[in-house]
Every structure is written in structure tokens, then in C-alpha cells.
Short mmCIF file of all heavy atoms in Angstrom, two decimals:
data_model
loop_
_atom_site.label_atom_id
_atom_site.label_comp_id
_atom_site.label_asym_id
_atom_site.label_seq_id
_atom_site.Cartn_x
_atom_site.Cartn_y
_atom_site.Cartn_z
N ARG A 1 -19.71 13.69 -8.54
CA ARG A 1 -20.60 13.94 -7.42
C ARG A 1 -20.26 13.08 -6.22
O ARG A 1 -20.34 13.55 -5.09
CB ARG A 1 -22.05 13.71 -7.84
CG ARG A 1 -22.59 14.75 -8.77
CD ARG A 1 -24.03 14.47 -9.04
NE ARG A 1 -24.52 15.39 -10.04
CZ ARG A 1 -25.78 15.66 -10.20
NH1 ARG A 1 -26.68 15.06 -9.47
NH2 ARG A 1 -26.17 16.50 -11.12
N VAL A 2 -19.93 11.83 -6.47
CA VAL A 2 -19.57 10.95 -5.37
C VAL A 2 -18.32 11.46 -4.68
O VAL A 2 -18.23 11.46 -3.44
CB VAL A 2 -19.39 9.49 -5.85
CG1 VAL A 2 -18.88 8.61 -4.73
CG2 VAL A 2 -20.70 8.94 -6.39
N GLY A 3 -17.37 11.93 -5.47
CA GLY A 3 -16.14 12.48 -4.89
C GLY A 3 -16.43 13.67 -3.99
O GLY A 3 -15.87 13.78 -2.89
N GLN A 4 -17.32 14.54 -4.45
CA GLN A 4 -17.70 15.70 -3.63
C GLN A 4 -18.40 15.26 -2.35
O GLN A 4 -18.16 15.82 -1.27
CB GLN A 4 -18.63 16.62 -4.41
CG GLN A 4 -17.94 17.46 -5.45
CD GLN A 4 -18.94 18.37 -6.16
OE1 GLN A 4 -20.11 18.02 -6.31
NE2 GLN A 4 -18.46 19.52 -6.61
N LEU A 5 -19.26 14.27 -2.46
CA LEU A 5 -19.97 13.76 -1.29
C LEU A 5 -18.97 13.22 -0.25
O LEU A 5 -19.07 13.53 0.94
CB LEU A 5 -20.95 12.65 -1.68
CG LEU A 5 -21.62 11.92 -0.53
CD1 LEU A 5 -22.57 12.84 0.22
CD2 LEU A 5 -22.36 10.70 -1.03
N MET A 6 -18.00 12.45 -0.71
CA MET A 6 -17.02 11.88 0.21
C MET A 6 -16.14 12.97 0.83
O MET A 6 -15.79 12.90 2.01
CB MET A 6 -16.16 10.83 -0.50
CG MET A 6 -16.94 9.57 -0.83
SD MET A 6 -17.65 8.87 0.67
CE MET A 6 -18.49 7.48 0.02
N GLU A 7 -15.80 13.99 0.05
CA GLU A 7 -15.02 15.10 0.60
C GLU A 7 -15.80 15.85 1.67
O GLU A 7 -15.27 16.21 2.72
CB GLU A 7 -14.62 16.07 -0.52
CG GLU A 7 -13.53 15.54 -1.42
CD GLU A 7 -13.21 16.47 -2.57
OE1 GLU A 7 -13.50 17.69 -2.48
OE2 GLU A 7 -12.66 15.97 -3.58
N ARG A 8 -17.08 16.08 1.40
CA ARG A 8 -17.92 16.76 2.39
C ARG A 8 -18.10 15.92 3.64
O ARG A 8 -18.09 16.44 4.76
CB ARG A 8 -19.28 17.09 1.78
CG ARG A 8 -19.20 18.20 0.76
CD ARG A 8 -20.55 18.49 0.17
NE ARG A 8 -20.43 19.50 -0.87
CZ ARG A 8 -21.39 19.82 -1.72
NH1 ARG A 8 -22.56 19.20 -1.65
NH2 ARG A 8 -21.21 20.73 -2.63
N LEU A 9 -18.27 14.62 3.45
CA LEU A 9 -18.39 13.71 4.59
C LEU A 9 -17.13 13.76 5.44
O LEU A 9 -17.19 13.88 6.67
CB LEU A 9 -18.66 12.28 4.12
CG LEU A 9 -18.70 11.20 5.20
CD1 LEU A 9 -19.83 11.47 6.18
CD2 LEU A 9 -18.85 9.83 4.56
N GLU A 10 -15.99 13.70 4.79
CA GLU A 10 -14.72 13.73 5.53
C GLU A 10 -14.55 15.07 6.27
O GLU A 10 -14.13 15.10 7.42
CB GLU A 10 -13.54 13.49 4.60
CG GLU A 10 -12.23 13.31 5.34
CD GLU A 10 -11.12 12.76 4.49
OE1 GLU A 10 -11.36 12.35 3.33
OE2 GLU A 10 -9.98 12.72 4.99
N THR A 11 -14.89 16.17 5.62
CA THR A 11 -14.81 17.48 6.26
C THR A 11 -15.70 17.54 7.49
O THR A 11 -15.29 18.03 8.56
CB THR A 11 -15.18 18.60 5.27
OG1 THR A 11 -14.27 18.56 4.17
CG2 THR A 11 -15.16 19.96 5.92
N GLN A 12 -16.91 17.04 7.36
CA GLN A 12 -17.85 17.04 8.50
C GLN A 12 -17.33 16.16 9.62
O GLN A 12 -17.41 16.53 10.79
CB GLN A 12 -19.23 16.57 8.03
CG GLN A 12 -20.30 16.71 9.08
CD GLN A 12 -20.60 18.16 9.42
OE1 GLN A 12 -20.54 19.03 8.57
NE2 GLN A 12 -20.92 18.43 10.65
N LEU A 13 -16.80 15.00 9.28
CA LEU A 13 -16.25 14.10 10.30
C LEU A 13 -15.08 14.75 11.03
O LEU A 13 -14.95 14.62 12.25
CB LEU A 13 -15.83 12.77 9.68
CG LEU A 13 -16.98 11.83 9.31
CD1 LEU A 13 -16.46 10.66 8.49
CD2 LEU A 13 -17.70 11.34 10.55
N LYS A 14 -14.21 15.44 10.29
CA LYS A 14 -13.08 16.14 10.92
C LYS A 14 -13.59 17.13 11.95
O LYS A 14 -13.07 17.19 13.08
CB LYS A 14 -12.26 16.89 9.87
CG LYS A 14 -11.40 16.03 9.00
CD LYS A 14 -10.69 16.90 7.98
CE LYS A 14 -10.17 16.08 6.83
NZ LYS A 14 -9.58 16.93 5.77
N GLN A 15 -14.59 17.90 11.58
CA GLN A 15 -15.14 18.90 12.50
C GLN A 15 -15.74 18.23 13.74
O GLN A 15 -15.52 18.67 14.87
CB GLN A 15 -16.19 19.76 11.80
CG GLN A 15 -15.60 20.66 10.74
CD GLN A 15 -16.68 21.38 9.92
OE1 GLN A 15 -17.86 21.06 10.00
NE2 GLN A 15 -16.24 22.35 9.13
N LEU A 16 -16.49 17.17 13.52
CA LEU A 16 -17.11 16.46 14.65
C LEU A 16 -16.07 15.84 15.57
O LEU A 16 -16.20 15.89 16.80
CB LEU A 16 -18.06 15.38 14.14
CG LEU A 16 -19.34 15.88 13.46
CD1 LEU A 16 -20.06 14.73 12.77
CD2 LEU A 16 -20.25 16.56 14.48
N LEU A 17 -15.03 15.27 14.99
CA LEU A 17 -14.00 14.63 15.80
C LEU A 17 -13.17 15.66 16.55
O LEU A 17 -12.76 15.43 17.70
CB LEU A 17 -13.12 13.74 14.91
CG LEU A 17 -13.82 12.50 14.38
CD1 LEU A 17 -12.98 11.83 13.31
CD2 LEU A 17 -14.14 11.52 15.50
N LYS A 18 -12.91 16.80 15.94
CA LYS A 18 -12.19 17.87 16.65
C LYS A 18 -13.02 18.36 17.82
O LYS A 18 -12.49 18.61 18.91
CB LYS A 18 -11.86 19.01 15.69
CG LYS A 18 -10.73 18.66 14.74
CD LYS A 18 -10.44 19.78 13.75
CE LYS A 18 -9.36 19.37 12.77
NZ LYS A 18 -9.08 20.42 11.78
N GLN A 19 -14.31 18.50 17.63
CA GLN A 19 -15.21 18.90 18.71
C GLN A 19 -15.24 17.84 19.81
O GLN A 19 -15.25 18.16 21.00
CB GLN A 19 -16.63 19.17 18.19
CG GLN A 19 -17.58 19.66 19.24
CD GLN A 19 -17.19 21.00 19.82
OE1 GLN A 19 -16.66 21.87 19.12
NE2 GLN A 19 -17.42 21.18 21.10
N ALA A 20 -15.24 16.58 19.42
CA ALA A 20 -15.23 15.49 20.40
C ALA A 20 -13.95 15.54 21.23
O ALA A 20 -13.99 15.26 22.43
CB ALA A 20 -15.35 14.14 19.69
N ARG A 21 -12.83 15.92 20.62
CA ARG A 21 -11.59 16.02 21.37
C ARG A 21 -11.70 17.16 22.40
O ARG A 21 -11.28 17.01 23.54
CB ARG A 21 -10.39 16.27 20.47
CG ARG A 21 -9.10 16.23 21.31
CD ARG A 21 -7.84 16.55 20.57
NE ARG A 21 -7.60 15.66 19.47
CZ ARG A 21 -7.25 16.09 18.25
NH1 ARG A 21 -7.15 17.37 18.01
NH2 ARG A 21 -7.03 15.23 17.29
N VAL A 22 -12.27 18.28 21.99
CA VAL A 22 -12.46 19.42 22.89
C VAL A 22 -13.32 19.01 24.09
O VAL A 22 -13.06 19.41 25.23
CB VAL A 22 -13.09 20.62 22.14
CG1 VAL A 22 -13.55 21.70 23.11
CG2 VAL A 22 -12.10 21.18 21.12
N GLU A 23 -14.32 18.19 23.83
CA GLU A 23 -15.24 17.74 24.88
C GLU A 23 -14.72 16.50 25.63
O GLU A 23 -15.44 15.89 26.40
CB GLU A 23 -16.61 17.45 24.27
CG GLU A 23 -17.27 18.68 23.69
CD GLU A 23 -18.54 18.36 22.91
OE1 GLU A 23 -18.94 17.17 22.84
OE2 GLU A 23 -19.13 19.31 22.37
N SER A 24 -13.48 16.12 25.33
CA SER A 24 -12.82 14.96 25.97
C SER A 24 -13.53 13.64 25.70
O SER A 24 -13.48 12.73 26.51
CB SER A 24 -12.67 15.18 27.48
OG SER A 24 -11.86 16.31 27.72
N LYS A 25 -14.20 13.55 24.55
CA LYS A 25 -14.84 12.29 24.16
C LYS A 25 -13.98 11.50 23.20
O LYS A 25 -14.23 10.33 22.95
CB LYS A 25 -16.20 12.57 23.52
CG LYS A 25 -17.19 13.18 24.49
CD LYS A 25 -18.50 13.48 23.82
CE LYS A 25 -19.46 14.14 24.79
NZ LYS A 25 -20.70 14.53 24.13
N LEU A 26 -12.98 12.16 22.63
CA LEU A 26 -12.04 11.53 21.71
C LEU A 26 -10.72 11.39 22.44
O LEU A 26 -10.29 12.33 23.13
CB LEU A 26 -11.88 12.40 20.46
CG LEU A 26 -11.01 11.86 19.34
CD1 LEU A 26 -11.68 10.65 18.69
CD2 LEU A 26 -10.77 12.93 18.28
N SER A 27 -10.10 10.25 22.31
CA SER A 27 -8.81 10.05 22.95
C SER A 27 -7.87 11.18 22.56
O SER A 27 -7.81 11.58 21.40
CB SER A 27 -8.20 8.71 22.53
OG SER A 27 -9.03 7.64 22.91
N ALA A 28 -7.13 11.70 23.54
CA ALA A 28 -6.24 12.83 23.30
C ALA A 28 -5.16 12.51 22.27
O ALA A 28 -4.71 13.39 21.55
CB ALA A 28 -5.60 13.27 24.61
N ASP A 29 -4.78 11.24 22.18
CA ASP A 29 -3.73 10.87 21.23
C ASP A 29 -4.27 10.51 19.84
O ASP A 29 -3.52 10.13 18.97
CB ASP A 29 -2.90 9.71 21.79
CG ASP A 29 -3.73 8.48 22.09
OD1 ASP A 29 -4.96 8.60 22.21
OD2 ASP A 29 -3.14 7.39 22.23
N THR A 30 -5.57 10.65 19.64
CA THR A 30 -6.18 10.35 18.34
C THR A 30 -6.15 11.58 17.45
O THR A 30 -6.62 12.64 17.84
CB THR A 30 -7.64 9.88 18.51
OG1 THR A 30 -7.65 8.70 19.31
CG2 THR A 30 -8.28 9.55 17.17
N ASP A 31 -5.58 11.44 16.28
CA ASP A 31 -5.53 12.51 15.28
C ASP A 31 -6.89 12.58 14.58
O ASP A 31 -7.29 11.63 13.90
CB ASP A 31 -4.41 12.21 14.29
CG ASP A 31 -4.24 13.24 13.21
OD1 ASP A 31 -5.14 14.08 12.99
OD2 ASP A 31 -3.19 13.21 12.55
N ALA A 32 -7.60 13.69 14.76
CA ALA A 32 -8.95 13.83 14.19
C ALA A 32 -8.94 13.73 12.68
O ALA A 32 -9.85 13.14 12.09
CB ALA A 32 -9.58 15.15 14.64
N VAL A 33 -7.93 14.28 12.03
CA VAL A 33 -7.85 14.25 10.57
C VAL A 33 -7.64 12.81 10.09
O VAL A 33 -8.32 12.34 9.17
CB VAL A 33 -6.72 15.18 10.07
CG1 VAL A 33 -6.52 15.04 8.56
CG2 VAL A 33 -7.03 16.63 10.44
N ALA A 34 -6.73 12.09 10.74
CA ALA A 34 -6.48 10.70 10.37
C ALA A 34 -7.70 9.83 10.67
O ALA A 34 -8.04 8.93 9.88
CB ALA A 34 -5.27 10.17 11.12
N ALA A 35 -8.37 10.09 11.78
CA ALA A 35 -9.55 9.31 12.14
C ALA A 35 -10.68 9.53 11.14
O ALA A 35 -11.36 8.58 10.73
CB ALA A 35 -10.01 9.68 13.55
N ALA A 36 -10.88 10.78 10.71
CA ALA A 36 -11.92 11.08 9.72
C ALA A 36 -11.61 10.37 8.41
O ALA A 36 -12.50 9.79 7.78
CB ALA A 36 -12.02 12.58 9.49
N ASN A 37 -10.34 10.38 8.02
CA ASN A 37 -9.93 9.70 6.79
C ASN A 37 -10.17 8.20 6.90
O ASN A 37 -10.63 7.57 5.95
CB ASN A 37 -8.47 10.01 6.48
CG ASN A 37 -8.03 9.41 5.18
OD1 ASN A 37 -7.42 8.36 5.17
ND2 ASN A 37 -8.36 10.07 4.09
N LEU A 38 -9.88 7.63 8.05
CA LEU A 38 -10.11 6.19 8.27
C LEU A 38 -11.59 5.85 8.16
O LEU A 38 -11.96 4.87 7.50
CB LEU A 38 -9.59 5.79 9.65
CG LEU A 38 -9.92 4.36 10.10
CD1 LEU A 38 -9.29 3.33 9.18
CD2 LEU A 38 -9.51 4.15 11.53
N LEU A 39 -12.44 6.67 8.77
CA LEU A 39 -13.88 6.40 8.72
C LEU A 39 -14.42 6.50 7.29
O LEU A 39 -15.24 5.68 6.88
CB LEU A 39 -14.63 7.35 9.66
CG LEU A 39 -14.36 7.11 11.15
CD1 LEU A 39 -14.97 8.23 11.98
CD2 LEU A 39 -14.88 5.76 11.58
N VAL A 40 -13.94 7.47 6.52
CA VAL A 40 -14.37 7.59 5.12
C VAL A 40 -13.86 6.39 4.32
O VAL A 40 -14.58 5.87 3.47
CB VAL A 40 -13.89 8.93 4.51
CG1 VAL A 40 -14.09 8.95 3.01
CG2 VAL A 40 -14.64 10.09 5.15
N ALA A 41 -12.66 5.93 4.62
CA ALA A 41 -12.13 4.75 3.94
C ALA A 41 -12.98 3.51 4.23
O ALA A 41 -13.23 2.69 3.34
CB ALA A 41 -10.68 4.51 4.35
N VAL A 42 -13.45 3.40 5.46
CA VAL A 42 -14.33 2.28 5.83
C VAL A 42 -15.63 2.36 5.04
O VAL A 42 -16.10 1.37 4.48
CB VAL A 42 -14.60 2.26 7.35
CG1 VAL A 42 -15.71 1.28 7.70
CG2 VAL A 42 -13.33 1.92 8.11
N VAL A 43 -16.21 3.55 4.99
CA VAL A 43 -17.46 3.73 4.23
C VAL A 43 -17.24 3.39 2.75
O VAL A 43 -18.04 2.66 2.15
CB VAL A 43 -17.99 5.18 4.38
CG1 VAL A 43 -19.11 5.45 3.40
CG2 VAL A 43 -18.45 5.42 5.80
N ASN A 44 -16.15 3.90 2.18
CA ASN A 44 -15.83 3.59 0.79
C ASN A 44 -15.67 2.09 0.56
O ASN A 44 -16.15 1.54 -0.43
CB ASN A 44 -14.55 4.31 0.36
CG ASN A 44 -14.80 5.63 -0.28
OD1 ASN A 44 -15.80 5.81 -0.98
ND2 ASN A 44 -13.91 6.58 -0.05
N GLY A 45 -15.00 1.46 1.50
CA GLY A 45 -14.79 0.02 1.38
C GLY A 45 -16.09 -0.76 1.43
O GLY A 45 -16.30 -1.71 0.66
N ARG A 46 -17.00 -0.36 2.32
CA ARG A 46 -18.29 -1.04 2.41
C ARG A 46 -19.10 -0.85 1.14
O ARG A 46 -19.74 -1.79 0.65
CB ARG A 46 -19.07 -0.52 3.62
CG ARG A 46 -18.36 -0.73 4.95
CD ARG A 46 -18.13 -2.15 5.25
NE ARG A 46 -19.32 -2.70 5.85
CZ ARG A 46 -19.41 -3.90 6.37
NH1 ARG A 46 -18.38 -4.70 6.39
NH2 ARG A 46 -20.54 -4.33 6.86
N ILE A 47 -19.08 0.37 0.60
CA ILE A 47 -19.79 0.63 -0.66
C ILE A 47 -19.18 -0.20 -1.79
O ILE A 47 -19.91 -0.80 -2.59
CB ILE A 47 -19.76 2.13 -1.01
CG1 ILE A 47 -20.61 2.92 -0.01
CG2 ILE A 47 -20.22 2.38 -2.43
CD1 ILE A 47 -20.42 4.41 -0.09
N ASN A 48 -17.86 -0.28 -1.82
CA ASN A 48 -17.17 -1.04 -2.85
C ASN A 48 -17.51 -2.53 -2.75
O ASN A 48 -17.80 -3.18 -3.77
CB ASN A 48 -15.66 -0.82 -2.73
CG ASN A 48 -14.89 -1.31 -3.92
OD1 ASN A 48 -15.46 -1.79 -4.89
ND2 ASN A 48 -13.59 -1.17 -3.86
N GLN A 49 -17.52 -3.07 -1.55
CA GLN A 49 -17.89 -4.48 -1.37
C GLN A 49 -19.31 -4.74 -1.84
O GLN A 49 -19.59 -5.75 -2.48
CB GLN A 49 -17.77 -4.89 0.10
CG GLN A 49 -16.37 -5.06 0.59
CD GLN A 49 -16.33 -5.41 2.07
OE1 GLN A 49 -17.24 -5.07 2.83
NE2 GLN A 49 -15.27 -6.07 2.50
N PHE A 50 -20.19 -3.83 -1.51
CA PHE A 50 -21.60 -3.96 -1.90
C PHE A 50 -21.74 -3.97 -3.42
O PHE A 50 -22.42 -4.84 -3.98
CB PHE A 50 -22.39 -2.80 -1.28
CG PHE A 50 -23.87 -2.83 -1.56
CD1 PHE A 50 -24.64 -3.94 -1.28
CD2 PHE A 50 -24.50 -1.71 -2.07
CE1 PHE A 50 -26.01 -3.96 -1.51
CE2 PHE A 50 -25.87 -1.71 -2.30
CZ PHE A 50 -26.62 -2.83 -2.03
N SER A 51 -21.07 -3.06 -4.09
CA SER A 51 -21.19 -3.01 -5.55
C SER A 51 -20.49 -4.20 -6.21
O SER A 51 -20.99 -4.74 -7.19
CB SER A 51 -20.66 -1.68 -6.10
OG SER A 51 -19.28 -1.56 -5.86
N ARG A 52 -19.33 -4.63 -5.67
CA ARG A 52 -18.63 -5.78 -6.26
C ARG A 52 -19.42 -7.07 -6.11
O ARG A 52 -19.28 -8.00 -6.90
CB ARG A 52 -17.26 -5.95 -5.60
CG ARG A 52 -16.19 -5.05 -6.14
CD ARG A 52 -14.80 -5.50 -5.69
NE ARG A 52 -14.81 -6.23 -4.44
CZ ARG A 52 -14.28 -5.81 -3.30
NH1 ARG A 52 -13.71 -4.64 -3.23
NH2 ARG A 52 -14.33 -6.55 -2.22
N SER A 53 -20.27 -7.14 -5.09
CA SER A 53 -21.06 -8.36 -4.87
C SER A 53 -22.31 -8.37 -5.74
O SER A 53 -23.14 -9.26 -5.61
CB SER A 53 -21.47 -8.46 -3.40
OG SER A 53 -22.49 -7.53 -3.08
N GLY A 54 -22.41 -7.38 -6.62
CA GLY A 54 -23.62 -7.29 -7.44
C GLY A 54 -24.80 -6.82 -6.62
O GLY A 54 -25.95 -7.16 -6.91
N PHE A 55 -24.52 -6.06 -5.57
CA PHE A 55 -25.54 -5.49 -4.68
C PHE A 55 -26.30 -6.58 -3.91
O PHE A 55 -27.44 -6.41 -3.54
CB PHE A 55 -26.50 -4.58 -5.45
CG PHE A 55 -25.76 -3.50 -6.19
CD1 PHE A 55 -25.50 -3.63 -7.54
CD2 PHE A 55 -25.28 -2.38 -5.52
CE1 PHE A 55 -24.79 -2.64 -8.22
CE2 PHE A 55 -24.58 -1.40 -6.19
CZ PHE A 55 -24.33 -1.53 -7.55
N ARG A 56 -25.61 -7.71 -3.65
CA ARG A 56 -26.21 -8.80 -2.89
C ARG A 56 -25.72 -8.83 -1.44
O ARG A 56 -26.46 -9.20 -0.55
CB ARG A 56 -25.90 -10.14 -3.56
CG ARG A 56 -26.64 -10.35 -4.88
CD ARG A 56 -26.36 -11.72 -5.47
NE ARG A 56 -24.93 -11.97 -5.66
CZ ARG A 56 -24.24 -11.63 -6.75
NH1 ARG A 56 -24.82 -11.02 -7.75
NH2 ARG A 56 -22.96 -11.90 -6.85
N GLN A 57 -24.46 -8.48 -1.22
CA GLN A 57 -23.91 -8.53 0.13
C GLN A 57 -24.39 -7.31 0.92
O GLN A 57 -24.23 -6.18 0.49
CB GLN A 57 -22.38 -8.52 0.09
CG GLN A 57 -21.75 -8.61 1.46
CD GLN A 57 -20.23 -8.61 1.40
OE1 GLN A 57 -19.65 -8.67 0.32
NE2 GLN A 57 -19.59 -8.55 2.54
N ASP A 58 -24.96 -7.56 2.06
CA ASP A 58 -25.47 -6.49 2.91
C ASP A 58 -24.30 -5.62 3.39
O ASP A 58 -23.39 -6.11 4.04
CB ASP A 58 -26.20 -7.10 4.11
CG ASP A 58 -26.81 -6.09 5.04
OD1 ASP A 58 -26.70 -4.87 4.77
OD2 ASP A 58 -27.40 -6.52 6.05
N PRO A 59 -24.32 -4.32 3.08
CA PRO A 59 -23.21 -3.46 3.49
C PRO A 59 -23.11 -3.26 5.00
O PRO A 59 -22.10 -2.79 5.50
CB PRO A 59 -23.49 -2.12 2.78
CG PRO A 59 -24.89 -2.17 2.36
CD PRO A 59 -25.31 -3.60 2.28
N THR A 60 -24.14 -3.63 5.75
CA THR A 60 -24.08 -3.50 7.20
C THR A 60 -23.75 -4.83 7.89
O THR A 60 -23.76 -4.89 9.13
CB THR A 60 -25.41 -2.95 7.76
OG1 THR A 60 -26.47 -3.84 7.42
CG2 THR A 60 -25.70 -1.56 7.21
N GLU A 61 -23.43 -5.84 7.10
CA GLU A 61 -23.07 -7.14 7.66
C GLU A 61 -21.86 -6.98 8.57
O GLU A 61 -20.86 -6.36 8.19
CB GLU A 61 -22.74 -8.10 6.51
CG GLU A 61 -22.41 -9.50 6.91
CD GLU A 61 -22.12 -10.36 5.69
OE1 GLU A 61 -22.80 -10.20 4.66
OE2 GLU A 61 -21.20 -11.18 5.76
N GLN A 62 -21.94 -7.49 9.77
CA GLN A 62 -20.89 -7.44 10.79
C GLN A 62 -20.56 -6.02 11.26
O GLN A 62 -19.55 -5.79 11.90
CB GLN A 62 -19.60 -8.12 10.29
CG GLN A 62 -19.77 -9.56 9.96
CD GLN A 62 -18.49 -10.19 9.45
OE1 GLN A 62 -17.42 -9.61 9.52
NE2 GLN A 62 -18.59 -11.39 8.94
N TRP A 63 -21.42 -5.06 10.94
CA TRP A 63 -21.12 -3.67 11.28
C TRP A 63 -21.04 -3.45 12.79
O TRP A 63 -20.17 -2.71 13.26
CB TRP A 63 -22.14 -2.72 10.67
CG TRP A 63 -21.87 -1.31 11.09
CD1 TRP A 63 -22.66 -0.53 11.85
CD2 TRP A 63 -20.70 -0.53 10.79
NE1 TRP A 63 -22.06 0.70 12.05
CE2 TRP A 63 -20.86 0.71 11.41
CE3 TRP A 63 -19.54 -0.77 10.07
CZ2 TRP A 63 -19.90 1.73 11.32
CZ3 TRP A 63 -18.58 0.23 9.99
CH2 TRP A 63 -18.77 1.45 10.60
N SER A 64 -21.89 -4.07 13.57
CA SER A 64 -21.88 -3.86 15.02
C SER A 64 -20.52 -4.21 15.62
O SER A 64 -19.96 -3.45 16.41
CB SER A 64 -22.97 -4.68 15.70
OG SER A 64 -24.23 -4.21 15.31
N ALA A 65 -19.99 -5.35 15.23
CA ALA A 65 -18.69 -5.78 15.75
C ALA A 65 -17.57 -4.87 15.23
O ALA A 65 -16.66 -4.51 15.98
CB ALA A 65 -18.42 -7.22 15.34
N GLN A 66 -17.65 -4.49 13.97
CA GLN A 66 -16.61 -3.63 13.40
C GLN A 66 -16.65 -2.23 14.02
O GLN A 66 -15.61 -1.64 14.31
CB GLN A 66 -16.75 -3.56 11.88
CG GLN A 66 -16.44 -4.88 11.23
CD GLN A 66 -16.84 -4.92 9.77
OE1 GLN A 66 -17.60 -4.08 9.29
NE2 GLN A 66 -16.33 -5.91 9.05
N TRP A 67 -17.85 -1.69 14.23
CA TRP A 67 -17.96 -0.38 14.85
C TRP A 67 -17.43 -0.42 16.28
O TRP A 67 -16.79 0.52 16.75
CB TRP A 67 -19.39 0.14 14.81
CG TRP A 67 -19.52 1.44 15.54
CD1 TRP A 67 -20.28 1.69 16.63
CD2 TRP A 67 -18.85 2.67 15.24
NE1 TRP A 67 -20.14 2.99 17.03
CE2 TRP A 67 -19.26 3.62 16.20
CE3 TRP A 67 -17.93 3.06 14.26
CZ2 TRP A 67 -18.78 4.93 16.20
CZ3 TRP A 67 -17.46 4.37 14.26
CH2 TRP A 67 -17.89 5.28 15.22
N ALA A 68 -17.68 -1.50 16.99
CA ALA A 68 -17.18 -1.63 18.36
C ALA A 68 -15.64 -1.54 18.37
O ALA A 68 -15.06 -0.90 19.25
CB ALA A 68 -17.65 -2.93 18.99
N ILE A 69 -15.01 -2.15 17.41
CA ILE A 69 -13.54 -2.10 17.30
C ILE A 69 -13.08 -0.68 17.00
O ILE A 69 -12.16 -0.16 17.65
CB ILE A 69 -13.04 -3.09 16.22
CG1 ILE A 69 -13.31 -4.53 16.65
CG2 ILE A 69 -11.55 -2.87 15.94
CD1 ILE A 69 -13.18 -5.55 15.54
N LEU A 70 -13.71 -0.05 16.02
CA LEU A 70 -13.34 1.32 15.67
C LEU A 70 -13.59 2.27 16.84
O LEU A 70 -12.75 3.12 17.16
CB LEU A 70 -14.11 1.78 14.44
CG LEU A 70 -13.68 1.21 13.10
CD1 LEU A 70 -14.72 1.54 12.03
CD2 LEU A 70 -12.32 1.75 12.71
N ARG A 71 -14.74 2.16 17.45
CA ARG A 71 -15.12 3.04 18.55
C ARG A 71 -14.13 2.90 19.71
O ARG A 71 -13.73 3.90 20.30
CB ARG A 71 -16.54 2.73 19.00
CG ARG A 71 -17.06 3.71 20.04
CD ARG A 71 -18.47 3.38 20.50
NE ARG A 71 -18.52 2.06 21.06
CZ ARG A 71 -19.43 1.14 20.78
NH1 ARG A 71 -20.41 1.40 19.94
NH2 ARG A 71 -19.40 -0.05 21.33
N ALA A 72 -13.74 1.67 20.02
CA ALA A 72 -12.81 1.45 21.12
C ALA A 72 -11.45 2.11 20.85
O ALA A 72 -10.79 2.59 21.77
CB ALA A 72 -12.63 -0.04 21.36
N GLY A 73 -11.07 2.16 19.58
CA GLY A 73 -9.80 2.77 19.24
C GLY A 73 -9.85 4.28 19.14
O GLY A 73 -8.83 4.96 19.25
N LEU A 74 -11.04 4.85 18.95
CA LEU A 74 -11.16 6.29 18.73
C LEU A 74 -11.64 7.06 19.96
O LEU A 74 -11.18 8.16 20.22
CB LEU A 74 -12.13 6.58 17.57
CG LEU A 74 -11.68 6.14 16.19
CD1 LEU A 74 -12.82 6.37 15.20
CD2 LEU A 74 -10.45 6.90 15.75
N PHE A 75 -12.59 6.48 20.67
CA PHE A 75 -13.27 7.22 21.74
C PHE A 75 -12.94 6.67 23.10
O PHE A 75 -12.56 5.52 23.24
CB PHE A 75 -14.80 7.19 21.51
CG PHE A 75 -15.21 7.78 20.20
CD1 PHE A 75 -15.47 6.97 19.11
CD2 PHE A 75 -15.30 9.15 20.04
CE1 PHE A 75 -15.83 7.52 17.88
CE2 PHE A 75 -15.65 9.71 18.83
CZ PHE A 75 -15.91 8.90 17.75
N ARG A 76 -13.13 7.51 24.10
CA ARG A 76 -12.88 7.09 25.49
C ARG A 76 -14.03 6.29 26.02
O ARG A 76 -15.11 6.39 25.64
CB ARG A 76 -12.69 8.32 26.36
CG ARG A 76 -11.44 9.05 26.02
CD ARG A 76 -11.31 10.26 26.90
NE ARG A 76 -10.07 10.91 26.46
CZ ARG A 76 -9.33 11.64 27.21
NH1 ARG A 76 -9.69 11.86 28.43
NH2 ARG A 76 -8.25 12.19 26.76
#
């Protein structure tokens, strides 16, 4: 089930990112498929860190700064 959820998330992100490119909100040189895969990898990594910490480490810790880095690389 988790695998299906991640596949659906990635598919939805691909669609959203392709639409963002059409609307000129995504950098023209950004590959929507690669970007969607990167975002899913980040989500997977955060979930993995949370579970490895025994569910003690906040999965949103430092998220604002990390999202700013990702956003700057993906969007105009």
C-alpha cells in the first residue's frame, strides 16, 4: 500500500509540475519527471528518518529552510 501511495504521489507531482511549466512557474530547464522523483525521495527520506528515530525526531524539523532550497532550484 505504501508503494502504491508513493507511486500515486509521484504521478500527481509530475502532472502538477508539467502544468507549472506550461504556466511558466517552473524553470524551463527543470525536468518535471526528475523533479517529481526528487520530491518523492525527500518525502521518503523524511519518513525514514522519523521511523529510524523511533518516531521521536520531528519530520518537519528544518523543513522551511530545506523547502526554500528546493523551491529556489525548481521554481521561478
